[in-house]
Amino acid sequence: MTETETRAATATAPAPLLLADGRPAAAAWSLDPALLHLNHGSFGAVPLVAQERQHALRAEMERAPVVWFPRLPGRIAAARGAISGHLRTDAADLALVPNASAGASVVYAALAERPGGDIVVTDHGYGAVTMGAERLARRWGRRVRTARVPLAAGAEQAYEAVMAEADDGVALVVLDQITSATARRMPVERIGAELARRGVTLLVDGAHAPGLLAAPLDGLVCDAWVGNLHKWGCAPRGTAALVARGPLRDRLHPLIDSWAAHEPFPDRFDQQGTLDATGPLAAPVALDFVEHTWGWAAARRYMDELAEYGARVIGAAFAGSATGVPSADVGMPVPGMRLVRLPEPLGTSRLAADALRDRAPAELGAETAFTSFDGIGYLRVSAHVYNTPADYDRFAESSVPVVRAWARRAPARS
């Protein structure tokens, strides 16, 4: 029995989290009660207190915009300070960007003057970030190399797979801290230390890390790190952090030049013309809400136990069919997310998986994540504090039979 199967076999349903007044945790969100919300990992969900703060900030902006915008850089800097405390990093190293992909684009733009080497990504990389790396490689006249990391690979095998591609002809490595499609860690700390020794630039895509990892930057050596606060951190969407600690930071500029263009990093990111910055300003409210209500450590434990339970009951429901769907063996699992293999031939490509996601709200009554890796489709279970074991029981009982019917009606793989 693999480690994954052992965990699943022993998973028990955790007691649902409650608010201080005894109401279910979901009462603090405005999610549609007619849907099962089982895909926090894609777009997150914003608690009411953070929504209300953002609405109040927007009203303040609209009442007196000529007062609002000149004062905005100072308020952004204060928000950076609060956010850096949650990430356990220095506010002087942290800039705010719209999302992790935007942060990656900032890094790619800064590296435009560095031709002469290839770029390494992995086959688990987030598609939009990989596309940006491909565009950069075309500008350099170089190529993108893809390190193949098996889903079940442990830390040592994953390290060897990446470093096998990172030879003397490589200038940049782009590596996920937590992969999106496959819900696994990568050994970014060990890889980062070795790349630093070799003088190779490392960009770490930590899109899922804030909230799931207590201190995503501890022990990590890299030139730049990007992480979304609107996923597990529950901040309003369009809120992410870009952290840079080395010489590269002096070449990082916002995608839009504004009046702070001549300021040092990260101050020049605090002024972006007339962009709506109420999301970043409300982000500390969301982060503080989870901390003050349950504590982030307790929230992470609950999310992890619940994701394990959800994967067990949904996996068992699939395995009870004639398809005999096996468990997904993930080599470096992460808190709060798990993979359940779909019955063939569902989800054999990203586009096919996205099509299932788009069908799910109407046909399953659920927001879910369907992903694909190496020609195999998966249901990605991602849990947050507002989810309960009953959500996964309901999906297993009512939605899994529908998904099995999808598989029976789908054309066979050629």
Side-chain angles (χ1 to χ4, degrees):
M1 182 178 290
T2 68
E3 179 186 351
T4 299
E5 291 168 337
T6 300
R7 285 196 317 271
T10 59
T12 58
L17 293 183
L18 302 175
L19 299 172
D21 58 9
R23 290 180 299 156
W29 274 261
S30 58
L31 293 165
D32 184 351
L35 287 172
L36 285 173
H37 297 277
L38 306 181
N39 184 18
H40 187 92
S42 285
F43 301 103
V46 185
L48 286 166
V49 289
Q51 292 183 43
E52 290 160 1
R53 177 60 176 158
Q54 186 177 26
H55 294 331
L57 289 166
R58 279 185 174 145
E60 181 185 345
M61 175 175 63
E62 297 304 336
R63 281 196 302 270
V66 178
V67 174
W68 170 268
F69 283 103
R71 295 179 180 176
L72 188 56
R75 299 178 78 164
I76 292 289
R80 283 197 290 108
I83 290 166
S84 67
H86 282 280
L87 294 177
R88 302 184 190 178
T89 192
D90 193 329
D93 297 332
L94 186 151
L96 293 176
V97 290
N99 52 46
S101 298
S105 296
V106 165
V107 174
Y108 293 151
L111 294 173
E113 63 192 54
R114 292 190 54 195
D118 290 344
I119 300 171
V120 172
V121 301
T122 78
D123 52 351
H124 297 256
Y126 187 66
V129 173
T130 297
M131 289 176 188
E134 292 168 346
R135 185 161 60 93
L136 177 60
R138 289 194 295 272
R139 291 206 307 269
W140 285 0
R142 305 294 294 191
R143 63 191 176 102
V144 170
R145 309 181 190 182
T146 301
R148 308 289 175 183
V149 181
L151 183 62
E156 181 67 26
Q157 187 179 2
Y159 171 84
E160 295 294 342
V162 173
M163 297 311 301
E165 294 291 340
D167 58 26
D168 292 342
V170 166
L172 171 67
V173 174
V174 182
L175 188 63
D176 292 71
Q177 190 167 29
I178 296 174
T179 64
S180 179
T182 50
R184 60 160 292 145
R185 294 262 329 239
M186 288 290 182
V188 291
E189 294 83 5
R190 185 181 175 194
I191 291 172
E194 177 59 21
L195 292 177
R197 188 187 69 80
R198 300 185 187 185
V200 177
T201 299
L202 173 62
L203 166 61
V204 173
D205 181 356
H208 286 272
L212 277 191
L213 303 181
L217 289 139
D218 276 7
L220 176 58
V221 179
C222 64
D223 297 271
W225 173 95
V226 292
N228 285 327
L229 301 169
H230 60 246
K231 289 182 181 285
W232 304 93
C234 295
R237 276 160 286 278
T239 308
L242 165 62
V243 175
R245 293 170 171 164
L248 177 64
R249 57 184 279 140
D250 294 330
R251 298 202 300 273
L252 298 177
H253 289 265
L255 298 177
I256 300 172
D257 285 325
S258 193
W259 287 103
H262 295 301
E263 296 294 323
F265 179 92
D267 298 356
R268 53 179 169 254
F269 285 77
D270 293 346
Q271 188 170 356
Q272 290 286 280
T274 55
L275 291 184
D276 185 346
T278 57
L281 293 182
V285 175
L287 294 163
D288 289 343
F289 168 72
V290 175
E291 179 60 41
H292 297 158
T293 307
W294 302 285
W296 271 103
R300 277 188 288 271
R301 284 194 301 271
Y302 175 76
M303 291 187 289
D304 195 42
E305 292 171 3
L306 185 57
E308 192 67 68
Y309 174 79
R312 180 175 69 82
V313 297
I314 294 171
F318 277 126
S321 72
T323 57
V325 179
S327 300
D329 188 10
V330 178
M332 298 178 69
V334 298
M337 289 199 291
R338 297 291 187 275
L339 290 185
V340 177
R341 186 167 174 174
L342 293 172
E344 292 185 354
L346 297 179
T348 55
S349 69
R350 181 186 65 82
L351 291 177
D354 286 351
L356 298 177
R357 173 204 63 197
D358 295 342
R359 294 175 67 179
E363 298 184 43
L364 305 180
E367 291 188 323
T368 55
F370 292 98
T371 69
S372 182
F373 179 72
D374 200 23
I376 297 173
Y378 297 95
L379 173 73
R380 190 190 70 191
V381 175
S382 57
H384 214 279
V385 295
Y386 53 78
N387 291 124
T388 69
D391 294 337
Y392 300 95
D393 293 338
R394 177 178 153 193
F395 187 89
E397 293 167 5
S398 62
S399 298
V400 166
V402 178
V403 177
R404 282 159 43 187
W406 290 352
R408 289 193 297 270
R409 294 195 297 266
R413 189 190 307 209
S414 58

